[in-house]
Amino acid sequence: MPKVYVGIDVAKFKHTCCAVSEKGEVLRESFDFGNDREGFDLLMKTMAALGGPGEVAVAMESTGHYHVLLWRFLASKGYAAEVKNPKVIARFKAATEISGAKTDRRDALLIARHAMTFGSSPSPLPSYALSRMKSLEREKYRLIRDRTSLYNRILAILDLTFPEFMGFLSAKSDAGRGALSSKTVRWLVSTHPSAAAMSAMKAATAERLRSMSRGSFSLVRFHELRELAKSSVGTSFPDEEAELRQLLGECDSIDARIDAIDAETAPLVDGLCPQIASVPGIGKATAAMIFAEVGGFVRFGSPDKLIKYAGLDVNVYQSGTVLKHGKMGKKGPPILRYALFLAAGKCRIHCPEIAEYYSSKVARGKHRVCALVCTARKILRMCWGMMKSGEFYSPRTAE
């Protein structure tokens, strides 16, 4: 049982530490120490004076990546630290203090008192494999967002140079940014970045398109596009065409990096969460995103707690006879929700049990988006159950 509770307010260049007893008495007034060797040595001297690792409980807020180095250092010295959600500390402050004043020293004392009041539950330091997977998947998520921005800029230029082009693709079951993920469409736009260029396409281009698309871009479709280009109202300038080619080149670079990330995370998935990847429709890439953001599934006592962590829970307001269900919480990692919606969209196509579940929600009158949210929740429950039991997917898993 800890006898001393140490709260640390984390920052970029320095941290602030405060210690209280199990009765709430301040044993060490708040003091600053640098994020360097001298500062960490000062912290260790202070901790040694307060007691050994078994007598001192350390708590700090999750602050971007700034707390990670200190967390690792404390673990190497035998001190298990609890990493707390900043929103929990903020609500504790609102419940215990009237003053709105905020300083690093007050925050350190507040964190220590929160640990003293509610007890300390040390946060396990993630393994190297999990940390590496999380770092890769967050890089991938940033790349996907950057690529989406590039797609938007490409579409804006095409609206000027060939406004009818995306409508032509839409009529063929391709639309918007989704069409730009096609290597055939990218090659066509990069080599013929305007209506004028596409109106002058030769037979060799038709054969190249047919070969790249494996026959889906037929000769008939090629002639339709060329005739549409001849009557287009689009206009273009050399700088717009040059920018279009540059943007498409950047998209290719991002795709290559994403492929490299997927290749690096594949063996990590095999070692950490092959059960999730066994669900039809969830490949290793999506499984890596889900597992990296959840981390240890066993730390969640129930699937409902995991759903709330993911931000897929529904806000409920009840007062007397009034009961309202609002929107999703959306308080968890956005990358996790992105991966779950991606998984839900794929599983309802490739997994018969999930497809039946999704269809049942739509049949009951739910909007397609709402049905997809329900499907994402079900997938998360399935993942929790499989990781808890160690079993791979089977039809009874979706029951």
Side-chain angles (χ1 to χ4, degrees):
M1 181 70 179
K3 297 181 180 179
V4 178
Y5 295 89
V6 173
I8 302 177
D9 185 67
V10 178
K12 181 177 178 65
F13 298 109
K14 57 92 178 175
H15 311 304
T16 305
C17 177
C18 181
V20 300
S21 69
E22 55 188 350
K23 296 182 180 180
E25 301 170 344
V26 177
L27 301 177
R28 181 66 164 88
E29 293 288 347
S30 296
F31 67 95
D32 297 337
F33 64 95
N35 190 28
D36 51 30
R37 172 59 60 185
E38 182 180 352
F40 281 20
D41 288 344
L42 174 60
L43 175 64
M44 284 298 99
K45 290 179 182 179
T46 303
M47 302 274 274
L50 294 171
E55 298 179 332
V56 178
V58 184
M60 67 183 79
E61 287 183 332
S62 174
T63 313
H65 64 276
Y66 297 125
H67 70 283
V68 177
L69 178 60
L70 180 59
W71 189 13
R72 292 175 178 175
F73 175 78
L74 289 170
S76 69
K77 299 298 182 181
Y79 291 93
E82 180 180 9
V83 180
K84 294 181 176 293
N85 189 324
K87 291 185 178 180
V88 173
I89 301 299
R91 292 185 178 182
F92 179 71
K93 179 180 180 179
T96 57
E97 295 185 4
I98 298 177
S99 171
K102 183 186 185 308
T103 65
D104 292 343
R105 299 197 170 194
R106 290 172 68 94
D107 288 346
L109 176 59
L110 193 70
I111 295 170
R113 284 181 171 165
H114 182 277
M116 180 270 299
T117 303
F118 296 98
S120 176
S121 178
S123 304
L125 196 66
S127 65
Y128 170 78
L130 177 57
S131 297
R132 181 57 180 159
M133 179 186 285
K134 190 171 186 177
S135 175
L136 288 170
E137 290 308 316
R138 292 199 168 185
E139 180 189 356
K140 178 180 175 180
Y141 185 67
R142 289 191 295 269
L143 290 170
I144 291 172
R145 289 191 303 176
D146 291 344
R147 187 178 61 186
T148 300
S149 298
L150 293 174
Y151 284 171
N152 289 336
R153 180 56 189 155
I154 290 170
L155 291 174
I157 296 176
L158 286 173
D159 286 341
L160 300 175
T161 62
F162 193 178
E164 300 89 353
F165 181 66
M166 298 311 298
F168 173 81
L169 295 180
S170 178
K172 302 297 181 180
S173 300
D174 291 313
R177 292 187 294 266
L180 294 176
S181 62
S182 166
K183 292 184 178 180
T184 304
V185 173
R186 283 194 195 175
W187 177 84
L188 176 60
V189 174
S190 63
T191 55
H192 302 80
S194 66
M198 290 191 190
S199 66
M201 291 186 296
K202 305 298 183 182
T205 302
E207 178 57 27
R208 179 69 182 272
L209 291 172
R210 187 197 64 77
S211 176
M212 290 183 67
S213 65
R214 297 181 180 180
S216 64
F217 209 112
S218 64
L219 185 62
V220 173
R221 190 178 181 188
F222 169 77
H223 286 302
E224 290 176 352
L225 177 59
R226 189 168 60 178
E227 292 302 315
L228 180 64
K230 290 179 181 179
S231 60
S232 174
V233 296
T235 58
S236 65
F237 296 95
D239 60 326
E240 293 173 337
E241 296 181 8
E243 182 181 0
L244 201 55
R245 292 191 180 95
Q246 179 183 349
L247 293 173
L248 289 167
E250 292 178 15
C251 290
D252 291 339
S253 298
I254 288 177
D255 285 349
R257 178 54 187 155
I258 289 176
D259 290 342
I261 289 174
D262 289 341
E264 188 172 350
T265 55
L268 297 177
V269 172
D270 293 335
L272 295 174
C273 56
Q275 298 87 348
I276 299 177
S278 69
V279 180
I282 301 182
K284 291 184 178 181
T286 307
M289 271 192 168
I290 295 173
F291 186 81
E293 290 303 317
V294 174
F297 277 77
V298 294
R299 65 193 177 103
F300 296 95
S302 68
D304 289 336
K305 291 182 179 180
L306 178 55
I307 288 171
K308 189 171 183 179
Y309 170 79
L312 294 177
D313 59 312
V314 177
N315 292 322
V316 178
Y317 174 83
Q318 182 180 15
S319 179
T321 59
V322 178
L323 177 61
K324 296 180 181 179
H325 292 83
K327 300 179 180 179
M328 284 197 310
K330 291 187 179 181
K331 293 182 179 179
I335 305 178
L336 178 57
R337 288 193 297 277
Y338 168 82
L340 289 170
F341 284 126
L342 191 64
K346 296 292 184 180
C347 287
R348 72 182 183 90
I349 298 174
H350 299 285
C351 181
E353 293 76 25
I354 296 297
E356 183 178 352
Y357 178 83
Y358 172 83
S359 298
S360 69
K361 295 297 181 182
V362 175
R364 288 169 53 185
K366 290 187 178 294
H367 190 275
R368 288 192 299 271
V369 175
C370 184
L372 205 62
V373 173
C374 295
T375 304
R377 290 197 199 103
K378 184 172 183 63
I379 289 174
L380 197 53
R381 289 192 184 95
M382 289 166 45
C383 292
W384 182 86
M386 289 187 296
M387 294 304 298
K388 197 88 169 178
S389 64
E391 297 178 357
F392 286 75
Y393 178 82
S394 65
R396 64 183 179 85
T397 306
E399 295 178 358

